[in-house]
Amino acid sequence: MDSAEIKALLRALPSVEQVLQSPAATPWLALMPRDRVVSLVRGVISELRQKLVSGERPPGDVDKIVSDLVSGKVEQVTEPSLRSVINASGVILHTNLGRAPLGAAAARAVAGVATRYCNLEFDLARGCRGRRDDHCGPLLEALLGAPALVVNNNAAAIFLVVHELARDGEVLVSRGELVEIGDGFRIQEILEASQARVREVGSTNRTHLQDYSAAIGRRTRLVLRVHPSNFRQVGFTGRPRLPELVELAHRAEIPMVEDLGSGCLSDGPWPGIEGEPPVTRSLAAGVDLVTCSGDKLLGGPQAGIITGREDLVQRIRRNPLFRALRVDKLTLAALGATLRAYARGREDQVPALRMARATVSRLTRRCERLAGQLADRGVLYAQVEQGESLLGGGSTPMQRIPSVLVTVSGTRRAVSAIERRLRSGTPPVIARIERDRLLLDLRTVSDDQEGALAAAVARAVDAV
């Protein structure tokens, strides 16, 4: 743009008062105090003025641009960005969708302490200060047979363990286990942030017991084993059996630590988690400390659990960073309710595990019902087909669970448009696309969401 055009556009910018007196401002002023709306309008006009001065051409009428931008900012501060979605993807522990949904008892427990005072750190029997450890610690010890601590996630758990036990020395870990976890964070970086030196042993695909033995020296503080819960190597691979590694570490008088990640508490033949080692098995093998997550296979809230030898657990609890990484009352309430379901033998009350165990026959009935509802709403290309679900969430990679799906067929462009409309609708629906078909997996959709899902799909199809 030339200078004359820029000057003309700058003159065309509305004043703050003009914007406030426009019809568009009525809902803004109903939602927010006038001074805050004024601040937003000034900010938008200032940003737009800077763009015009730099020569950026506006994509339309400046009055409408200002109105749209202010509306977006008002919505940003008055509407929650964290929203409930319908997960029709079939990925049970979907990291981007909050992993494990809480059970009804856990949700009630959270609500019970969220809006009222509670005995978070108050001993009701003695009438004096208590410890927040006491709300989940005894439950975990009863289930695992070892003392346990709770911190805010599993990365924090392994960080705290290494910081306490090895911050002035070396941690031995197989090169093939130095994996990347969520959002680009890597195990090696977490270990190094704990002020320990990481000493890699073995090769990427094979590590032998002798590799660990040769690496043990006077600065070795612990041996770490990382369970491959979010990746899988195939082919010419190998690593020592856990009992062998435990024996080697103990012979050298070095703690053996295992990061199990997924937090499996069940030793039963659950679909999709065959071969996933439960925490109790590692403890029985002699591992000194085990860390795991609360929001993966355990099926509770985001949390990290540290369990094992009492003397080491107590050392870690006394570390000043334990206070920085501790959990709040809401997490303790949700985790406690989830653990009580295990203690009562009611794993079916844990939604993630219930979803994993849903039978093909039950899913078939639900999918046929949904397909019928879609047909009644005019969706003509919905069919029931065999398919697969995923456990997800950094657990049991490559293991799939036989499932039944409702598919909606169409052109690639139409199916992509339907998926976008579902994702941006109310409520948002998250689905999968494969081979120009929209896939709806009811394994991860609760019964009471079926009606809303059918209505959302019908609206999205009608709009295409």
Side-chain angles (χ1 to χ4, degrees):
M1 293 189 298
D2 58 32
S3 59
E5 188 175 1
I6 291 174
K7 288 179 180 178
L9 287 169
L10 288 172
R11 285 195 298 271
L13 281 174
S15 68
V16 173
E17 193 57 35
Q18 284 175 323
V19 176
L20 291 175
Q21 291 180 7
S22 69
T26 302
W28 310 337
L29 294 168
L31 290 169
M32 298 175 61
R34 181 183 176 85
D35 60 334
R36 294 184 185 173
V37 176
V38 168
S39 177
L40 290 179
V41 173
R42 281 179 178 155
V44 165
I45 293 174
S46 176
E47 289 173 15
L48 192 53
R49 181 180 290 111
Q50 290 174 9
K51 290 180 179 179
L52 293 175
V53 170
S54 66
E56 185 175 331
R57 186 182 296 276
D61 177 71
V62 290
D63 286 342
K64 187 176 187 311
I65 292 172
V66 170
S67 177
D68 289 346
L69 288 172
V70 175
S71 291
K73 289 183 179 294
V74 169
E75 182 178 350
Q76 201 173 50
V77 297
T78 59
E79 296 294 327
S81 62
L82 188 62
R83 303 167 60 192
S84 173
V85 306
I86 296 177
N87 176 15
S89 71
V91 181
I92 297 172
L93 300 173
H94 199 308
T95 299
N96 305 122
L97 301 183
R99 288 194 180 145
L102 296 178
R108 288 194 299 271
V110 170
V113 300
T115 58
R116 296 174 175 83
Y117 296 107
C118 66
N119 61 326
L120 177 64
E121 291 185 352
F122 188 81
D123 188 322
L124 294 172
R126 297 167 54 205
C128 61
R129 183 184 180 90
R131 300 201 314 180
R132 65 181 65 197
D133 306 24
D134 294 342
H135 300 292
C136 286
L139 278 167
L140 284 165
E141 186 164 3
L143 289 166
L144 303 176
L149 298 173
V150 181
V151 291
N152 59 18
N153 63 25
N154 188 50
I158 192 63
F159 171 88
L160 190 56
V161 167
V162 176
H163 184 268
E164 175 58 35
L165 303 183
R167 65 178 177 269
D168 61 343
E170 293 181 345
V171 177
L172 303 188
V173 59
S174 170
R175 180 172 288 118
E177 295 172 3
L178 292 173
V179 299
E180 183 174 299
I181 52 179
D183 200 23
F185 291 100
R186 295 174 176 174
I187 291 291
Q188 182 166 349
E189 293 169 350
I190 293 172
L191 299 178
E192 290 172 346
S194 67
Q195 301 176 25
R197 180 176 180 271
V198 176
R199 180 157 184 182
E200 302 175 22
V201 299
S203 63
T204 301
N205 61 320
R206 288 179 71 83
T207 302
H208 303 277
L209 191 66
Q210 179 58 30
D211 295 320
Y212 288 95
S213 179
I216 291 175
R218 63 182 183 83
R219 289 183 53 79
T220 307
R221 297 294 181 267
L222 64 85
V223 176
L224 174 65
R225 181 182 175 101
V226 181
H227 179 61
S229 58
N230 64 354
F231 77 105
R232 186 59 46 89
Q233 291 182 335
V234 295
F236 189 60
T237 63
R239 64 177 186 166
R241 293 188 307 109
L242 184 59
E244 295 175 331
L245 203 52
V246 168
E247 182 182 359
L248 176 67
H250 289 176
R251 195 163 57 240
E253 299 183 339
I254 299 167
M256 173 72 208
V257 177
E258 185 170 28
D259 173 14
L260 279 181
S262 60
C264 181
L265 298 192
S266 176
D267 203 7
W270 291 69
I273 62 173
E274 294 89 349
E276 186 72 12
V279 174
T280 50
R281 190 182 303 170
S282 294
L283 293 172
V287 174
D288 296 292
L289 288 175
V290 175
T291 68
C292 64
S293 296
D295 57 340
K296 293 182 181 178
L297 288 180
L298 195 152
Q302 176 179 301
I305 295 169
I306 303 167
T307 182
R309 270 175 48 187
E310 183 170 9
D311 61 324
L312 298 182
V313 169
Q314 291 306 315
R315 274 185 61 183
I316 291 163
R317 194 193 183 285
R318 288 192 295 270
N319 188 302
L321 287 175
F322 174 67
R323 181 178 179 84
L325 300 173
R326 67 184 181 176
V327 294
D328 70 343
K329 62 182 181 180
L330 305 184
T331 300
L332 289 171
L335 181 60
T338 305
L339 293 173
R340 282 190 290 276
Y342 281 96
R344 295 195 305 268
R346 297 301 307 272
E347 288 93 341
D348 59 310
Q349 295 179 352
V350 180
L353 300 185
R354 186 170 63 245
M355 291 175 189
R357 295 182 70 178
T359 63
V360 169
S361 60
R362 183 172 187 276
L363 290 170
T364 300
R365 291 192 297 272
R366 292 185 64 200
C367 285
E368 288 173 346
R369 184 168 64 234
L370 177 62
Q373 291 176 323
L374 291 175
D376 292 341
R377 293 173 180 267
V379 181
L380 303 179
Y381 303 106
Q383 296 182 328
V384 177
E385 300 182 15
Q386 299 296 310
E388 293 178 321
S389 306
L390 290 170
L391 202 59
S395 302
T396 61
M398 300 174 65
Q399 287 199 35
R400 297 174 180 269
I401 308 173
S403 194
V404 184
L405 315 173
V406 174
T407 66
V408 178
S409 302
T411 65
R412 177 175 301 179
R413 192 171 188 175
V415 170
S416 295
I418 293 170
E419 187 274 336
R420 283 196 304 273
R421 289 185 178 277
L422 285 172
R423 187 165 21 94
S424 59
T426 303
V429 175
I430 311 301
R432 290 153 47 200
I433 294 179
E434 287 183 11
R435 301 195 307 275
D436 299 336
R437 297 173 308 149
L438 183 81
L439 308 185
L440 303 169
D441 190 335
L442 295 189
R443 186 181 291 278
T444 49
V445 178
S446 62
D447 291 357
D448 61 359
Q449 291 177 319
E450 284 183 24
L453 175 59
V457 173
R459 286 195 301 270
V461 170
D462 287 344
V464 173

